[in-house]
Amino acid sequence: EDKVVQSPLSLVVHEGDTVTLNCSYEVTNFRSLLWYKQEKKAPTFLFMLTSSGIEKKSGRLSSILDKKELFSILNITATQTGDSAIYLCAVEADTLIQGAQKLVFGQGTRLTINP
Amino acid sequence: DAGVIQSPRHEVTEMGQEVTLRCKPISGHDYLFWYRQTMMRGLELLIYFNNNVPIDDSGMPEDRFSAKMPNASFSTLKIQPSEPRDSAVYFCASSFPGRAGEQFFGPGTRLTVL
């Protein structure tokens, strides 16, 4: 069964700290790994990673994928209170149906940034 | 583009009643996904469509749940009869052809079954 596991489940830090969120996966027919941020409403897309060792960056957020060890990390530097959210990791995989893919989500990491 | 549109935004109903949730995906997207989110179970995929055809409904919890996509711009998720344990936020998401992973989520429908 396809599985995506995130750690920690919950994290509380002070503004300005750097945090690292972890995501490991066991998926058949891997295509890509994605990170989403969910504040009060719907998840919003952050990154898509398909190749090992290539870091994706967007401002203070960065992410990297290791396809050999089957994990990814999401780093946030100089955290701000606005970074408080649930961060979801998901893996896209091919299904048995040609041309169709599916997305398997982890349970999320609830990040709280205190001022 | 207005993004993925869901209605209603909030629904409160009594146990045993039929509930219908609606979704309009982003124009040009050919994937449509229905998710359910609760504190206990997180975000769960219920069913998804590709080109209006249901591809995987293994996440649908039981026969009380059904989903349809009669055309490229409309989908429904129906629960009949509803039960209190169905209370959750239901999200619809869509994505471009060949990019199922990069999904655009609607605002969700918060369902409360009393």
Side-chain angles (χ1 to χ4, degrees):
Chain A
E1 184 183 342
D2 296 332
K3 187 167 59 174
V4 178
V5 177
Q6 292 185 244
S7 65
L9 294 181
S10 180
L11 184 60
V12 181
V13 300
H14 290 291
E15 202 167 22
D17 289 350
T18 293
V19 298
T20 297
L21 310 183
N22 304 293
C23 176
S24 64
Y25 62 91
E26 293 177 25
V27 172
T28 305
N29 300 320
F30 174 91
R31 283 177 62 96
S32 66
L33 185 142
L34 303 104
W35 285 96
Y36 285 80
K37 178 182 181 182
Q38 185 174 21
E39 297 176 82
K40 292 186 178 177
K41 296 184 177 179
T44 54
F45 172 79
L46 292 174
F47 295 113
M48 175 185 281
L49 301 146
T50 56
S51 301
S52 286
I54 297 175
E55 186 181 43
K56 289 285 187 84
K57 294 195 75 171
S58 175
R60 295 175 294 100
L61 278 65
S62 64
S63 182
I64 197 161
L65 172 67
D66 186 327
K67 290 170 72 174
K68 182 179 178 183
E69 300 298 329
L70 307 182
F71 79 91
S72 173
I73 59 172
L74 175 67
N75 279 320
I76 309 175
T77 59
T79 53
Q80 302 171 359
T81 55
D83 295 327
S84 296
I86 296 173
Y87 289 84
L88 296 163
C89 173
V91 173
E92 181 188 8
D94 288 321
T95 69
L96 295 177
I97 301 168
Q98 188 173 6
Q101 295 85 38
K102 65 178 179 180
L103 204 62
V104 180
F105 278 89
Q107 68 272 55
T109 293
R110 182 179 294 275
L111 177 63
T112 303
I113 311 297
N114 288 325
Chain B
D1 199 319
V4 176
I5 299 172
Q6 290 188 246
S7 65
R9 296 292 302 277
H10 301 273
E11 176 83 24
V12 180
T13 190
E14 292 188 345
M15 184 172 65
Q17 297 298 306
E18 177 179 297
V19 174
T20 299
L21 311 181
R22 297 173 176 79
C23 175
K24 176 178 168 52
I26 292 172
S27 177
H29 286 192
D30 69 349
Y31 279 95
L32 184 139
F33 305 81
W34 282 102
Y35 292 92
R36 175 173 70 175
Q37 188 174 42
T38 61
M39 287 290 289
M40 291 293 294
R41 300 173 68 92
L43 193 65
E44 302 174 278
L45 176 66
L46 300 176
I47 184 171
Y48 75 96
F49 297 82
N50 182 232
N51 291 316
N52 312 337
V53 176
I55 300 300
D56 185 352
D57 65 353
S58 59
M60 297 285 262
E62 45 197 277
D63 292 345
R64 297 185 297 106
F65 286 69
S66 62
K68 294 183 179 179
M69 191 165 186
N71 58 63
S73 59
F74 184 66
S75 177
T76 59
L77 178 67
K78 186 175 293 186
I79 309 172
Q80 166 63 16
S82 58
E83 297 183 3
R85 60 192 168 123
D86 301 331
S87 297
V89 179
Y90 290 81
F91 288 106
C92 175
S94 67
S95 61
F96 284 109
R99 294 168 64 177
E102 188 177 345
Q103 298 179 12
F104 294 79
F105 282 74
T109 295
R110 181 173 294 278
L111 173 65
T112 303
V113 183
L114 302 173

